[in-house]
Amino acid sequence: MAAHTYPSPTLLGSRKSDLALIQARYVMAQIEKLPDAPKIEIQTGTAAGDKDKITPFLELSKQTGGSDLGKSLWTNELEADLVAGKVHFLVHSLKDMPTTLPPNCLLGAITEREDPSDAVVMPKGSKYTSIDELPAGSVVGSSSSRRRALIRKNWPHLEVEECRGNVDTRLAKLDAADSKFSCILLATAGLLRLGLGHRVTQRLQANVFPYAVGQAALGIEVTADSPAMQQLVLAADHKPSRWRCMAERAMLRTLQGGCSSPIGVYTHYESPENGGKLCLGATVVDMAGDKHVSTEELRLVESDEDAEALGLTVAKKLLDGGASGLLQRHA
């Protein structure tokens, strides 16, 4: 295979937040291990979702067509730079990437997944060590429709209120002397990457509190007409994580034609020496938390195609089980 020629410098596009930059540097470090790695520079941009930090995310996502399409709030302006050739590849939190990408854009690689669980974070000095201990009427902060619905499902005695902003902003709201929040929910992975693992009070079990599609993995986006970039970013790809996330994304893509119904997942991949099987579980929840449909499927996965086929199977089982009614209620 002929060696590729890379632009110098090769420009990596990223959002400006501390977490986004940490993630971009992680991917850059993986690629720079290649013997022929080009010089990489990070070029930051601002996504639409960064500009409006007041409007509840559910309302913002509805304006762009539902919770999956609404993820373009975090990617669309960066993708415009990618397609225009202003940057050569992008690094996103995979959970923020729509499952259908713009024309000429590809998901070139998926990094090794961090802990995908959701974390309960109590205020500094709190006497509580679990969300199960909170008294009735306690306020839980979250901007995620999935988390809000699952809180209502699992702890109906608790109240849920919007809590937007970057991680530091949300922690400051939680720790304020006049805070209304008894706890907030955040992705465990983001806290760990920011060096804030000590703020994790409790990691929620995925069978009780399924996580977001793609949560804790990074997606690397390239253009379809750049084989050099497609080859380069594979240095950061992690096949077990890729297959887990591809199954999740195929399931979500099948279910969500612009709906905003919360969907949670959990996956586990057994290494080939242990059978090479992938388990995908998924739950569709009513926003009120009083109705849900869940299913699980286990099958041999040895390729991208196998992973996507598993996702389609799980989506069909959810629809056959009555998920279509929940999806229509929130479309």
Side-chain angles (χ1 to χ4, degrees):
M1 181 183 294
H4 288 292
T5 300
Y6 304 113
S8 184
T10 294
L11 300 177
L12 182 168
S14 168
R15 289 166 59 200
K16 296 178 180 179
S17 72
D18 290 344
L19 180 56
L21 289 172
I22 287 170
Q23 293 173 167
R25 293 186 191 110
Y26 169 80
V27 170
M28 186 167 67
Q30 301 305 303
I31 294 174
E32 287 178 338
K33 293 176 183 178
L34 293 172
D36 60 342
K39 175 179 173 56
I40 299 174
E41 293 182 0
I42 297 174
Q43 185 164 303
T44 59
T46 302
D50 294 315
K51 297 173 184 176
D52 182 350
K53 296 186 178 180
I54 299 174
T55 305
F57 178 70
L58 183 58
E59 293 304 314
L60 284 174
S61 69
K62 286 179 179 177
Q63 293 170 20
T64 49
S67 59
D68 188 39
L69 294 174
K71 293 175 183 178
S72 62
L73 288 165
W74 310 110
T75 62
N76 52 7
E77 295 184 36
L78 296 174
E79 287 167 336
D81 288 343
L82 177 66
V83 172
K86 295 179 181 179
V87 296
H88 301 109
F89 65 96
L90 302 173
V91 175
H92 307 283
S93 292
L94 186 61
K95 70 179 177 62
D96 293 337
M97 292 184 72
T99 58
T100 300
L101 301 181
N104 201 38
C105 292
L106 297 174
L107 180 54
I110 296 174
T111 64
E112 184 170 5
R113 200 172 205 172
E114 205 13 301
D115 180 348
S117 69
D118 288 293
V120 176
V121 182
M122 299 291 181
K124 290 180 178 178
S126 173
K127 65 181 180 180
Y128 300 112
T129 60
S130 166
I131 194 170
D132 301 290
E133 300 171 0
L134 294 177
S138 297
V139 177
V140 181
S142 176
S143 60
S144 158
S145 60
R146 173 188 56 85
R147 290 174 182 148
R148 291 158 74 94
L150 287 169
I151 291 165
R152 292 172 180 135
K153 172 180 176 292
N154 291 303
W155 301 281
H157 61 289
L158 302 180
E159 302 294 327
V160 192
E161 293 197 21
E162 186 81 12
C163 185
R164 283 196 63 195
N166 62 30
V167 172
D168 286 342
T169 299
R170 285 186 256 185
L171 289 175
K173 291 178 180 179
L174 173 69
D175 293 333
D178 59 350
S179 176
K180 62 184 175 182
F181 300 115
S182 295
C183 70
I184 61 174
L185 299 191
L186 296 168
T188 300
L191 291 167
L192 294 175
R193 288 175 177 140
L194 286 164
L196 294 170
H198 61 282
R199 291 305 307 264
V200 177
T201 305
Q202 175 189 12
R203 301 188 193 203
L204 295 172
Q205 296 299 309
N207 60 340
V208 173
F209 209 89
Y211 41 82
V213 166
Q215 184 157 301
L218 307 179
I220 308 176
E221 192 170 2
V222 296
T223 55
D225 57 5
S226 180
M229 287 301 110
Q230 293 171 38
Q231 183 63 36
L232 181 69
V233 301
L234 286 176
D237 193 61
H238 183 253
K239 195 165 286 184
S241 298
R242 178 185 182 89
W243 289 342
R244 289 173 64 189
C245 293
M246 287 187 74
E248 295 170 14
R249 286 170 62 81
M251 181 273 302
L252 182 62
R253 186 185 305 116
T254 304
L255 291 180
Q256 289 203 279
C259 81
S260 57
S261 191
I263 297 173
V265 297
Y266 57 89
T267 49
H268 172 72
Y269 181 71
E270 299 174 350
S271 60
E273 53 266 29
N274 292 324
K277 290 185 177 180
L278 177 60
C279 173
L280 169 60
T283 299
V284 179
V285 195
D286 182 86
M287 270 305 299
D290 54 5
K291 295 182 180 179
H292 72 279
V293 177
S294 298
T295 193
E296 181 181 283
E297 183 79 10
L298 177 70
R299 72 166 54 171
L300 180 68
V301 169
E302 298 178 307
S303 67
D304 292 358
E305 293 74 19
D306 289 345
E308 294 211 329
L310 173 59
L312 296 177
T313 297
V314 169
K316 184 178 185 303
K317 289 178 70 173
L318 287 168
L319 293 170
D320 291 345
S324 56
L326 296 181
L327 297 173
Q328 290 168 3
R329 286 181 66 178
H330 295 287

